[in-house]
């Protein structure tokens, strides 16, 4: 079992915000996949639905999505990114991260849509609600839980399982482009979550954050069986490697 976390770079080239990712490779299966596109009776907010749609557009039509990134080239001046009417942002890598993401999308094969899961959404909502109250910036909840613990409250996940968290006040497209470019993250962990073919189901929860305005949590898994009154969720915690220390200015 392996847990990796990318470094936490300065600010996104697109948003005065941050994002972080939790990547887990787990080797025990917990339940079978449930892939209802409507997430059962779970209702998404407008932003949550838009984030889901943007991730699925990127997965199913990566070449088309590359054109949205190409339109941003003109806003770079060295490592500064400046869109009209918005304050300039100093990036870590400059336009090279954007160009690398464009190349990735141009060469990517289309993937199936992620299917929405109610339980995966509820697990994501636990974290967005908690951090909306505490102002924390972490994958660890105030009860010391991690993503696999939280989604297991509502059902049984199938390996692998992971989580992206974006802290920002941008549009859904801003959020997803930021995660795909992944400026300053050598592993491109956020992007890899979105384009991992092993992920079948997802959960999305966006809410207020006292420091960054908004935050959006996205959970991913190889499958998910929604909890019934008879089910007891699996909450086994995988072994984790040490995280890379975050610099003072970070993409969180």
């Amino acid at each position: 079992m392996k847990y990796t976390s990318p470094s936490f770079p300065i600010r996104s080239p697109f948003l005065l915000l941050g994002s972080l990712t939790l990547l887990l490779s787990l080797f025990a299966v917990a339940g079978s996949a449930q892939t209802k596109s409507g997430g059962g009776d779970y209702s998404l907010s407008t932003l949550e639905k838009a984030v889901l749609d943007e991730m699925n557009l990127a997965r199913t039509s990566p070449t088309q999505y590359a054109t949205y990134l190409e339109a941003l080239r003109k806003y770079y001046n060295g490592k500064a990114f400046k869109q009209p009417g918005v304050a300039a942002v100093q990036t870590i890598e400059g336009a090279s991260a954007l160009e690398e993401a464009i190349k990735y999308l141009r060469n990517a094969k289309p993937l199936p849509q992620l299917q929405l899961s109610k339980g995966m959404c509820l697990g994501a909502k636990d974290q967005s609600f908690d951090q909306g109250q505490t102002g924390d910036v972490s994958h660890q909840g105030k009860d010391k839980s991690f993503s696999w613990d939280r989604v297991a409250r509502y059902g049984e996940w199938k390996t692998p399982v992971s989580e992206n968290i974006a802290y920002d006040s941008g549009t859904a497209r801003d959020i997803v482009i930021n995660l795909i470019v992944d400026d300053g993250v050598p592993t491109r962990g956020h992007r890899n979550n979105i384009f991992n073919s092993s992920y079948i189901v997802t959960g999305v929860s966006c809410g207020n954050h006292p420091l960054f305005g908004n935050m959006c949590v996205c959970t991913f898994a190889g499958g998910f069986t929604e909890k019934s009154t008879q089910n007891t969720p699996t909450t086994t915690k995988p072994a984790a490697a040490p995280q890379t220390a975050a610099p003072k200015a970070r993409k969180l």
Side-chain angles (χ1 to χ4, degrees):
M1 289 178 284
K2 178 172 138 185
Y3 157 72
T4 60
S5 178
S7 60
F8 301 112
I10 266 180
R11 301 180 177 218
S12 158
F14 311 108
L15 306 165
L16 297 177
L17 53 89
S19 54
L20 74 145
T21 185
L22 181 64
L23 305 179
L24 302 165
S25 297
L26 307 171
F27 302 102
V29 173
S32 59
Q34 176 161 324
T35 58
K36 290 184 178 179
S37 60
D41 57 354
Y42 191 80
S43 179
L44 296 178
S45 70
T46 300
L47 178 60
E48 291 163 350
K49 177 62 164 57
V51 168
L52 174 64
D53 289 344
E54 287 292 321
M55 290 195 296
N56 278 333
L57 178 58
R59 278 174 65 100
T60 59
S61 303
T63 301
Q64 176 184 341
Y65 216 82
T67 64
Y68 305 145
L69 276 66
E70 289 167 345
L72 300 173
R73 284 170 168 155
K74 60 186 177 182
Y75 299 123
Y76 280 90
N77 182 10
K79 292 187 177 180
F81 180 84
K82 175 69 171 69
Q83 288 180 294
V86 182
V89 177
Q90 192 69 18
T91 70
I92 296 292
E93 301 174 66
S96 63
L98 179 77
E99 295 299 335
E100 191 266 339
I102 292 169
K103 182 179 179 180
Y104 177 93
L105 291 172
R106 287 291 179 187
N107 292 318
K109 294 181 179 180
L111 295 172
Q113 290 191 4
L114 293 164
Q115 302 301 306
L116 189 68
S117 159
K118 176 181 178 180
M120 296 287 288
C121 288
L122 291 173
K125 187 174 182 179
D126 284 350
Q127 187 70 344
S128 65
F129 177 80
D130 279 356
Q131 294 194 349
Q133 306 299 309
T134 65
D136 289 341
V137 178
S138 172
H139 284 292
Q140 189 174 39
K142 66 180 182 181
D143 60 356
K144 308 303 181 184
S145 66
F146 284 94
S147 61
W148 58 89
D149 301 307
R150 292 187 287 270
V151 298
R153 296 166 184 164
Y154 306 102
E156 295 183 342
W157 47 262
K158 182 178 179 180
T159 185
V161 62
S162 69
E163 178 181 80
N164 281 353
I165 306 180
Y167 299 87
D168 63 76
S169 297
T171 67
R173 181 157 295 172
D174 291 332
I175 291 168
V176 173
I177 288 178
N178 181 37
L179 295 171
I180 290 173
V181 173
D182 231 357
D183 176 69
V185 181
T187 63
R188 306 302 191 212
H190 308 86
R191 180 198 302 165
N192 291 338
N193 273 352
I194 294 172
F195 291 98
N196 189 330
S197 61
S198 297
Y199 295 136
I200 297 173
V201 294
T202 189
V204 183
S205 178
C206 303
N208 295 326
H209 191 277
L211 297 180
F212 294 96
N214 291 323
M215 65 178 292
C216 193
V217 182
C218 299
T219 55
F220 306 87
F224 196 81
T225 301
E226 306 291 342
K227 184 179 180 181
S228 69
T229 55
Q230 289 78 32
N231 285 346
T232 301
T234 300
T235 57
T236 303
K237 178 178 178 179
Q243 295 187 14
T244 303
K248 184 175 181 180
R250 58 188 184 178
K251 185 180 180 184
L252 285 180

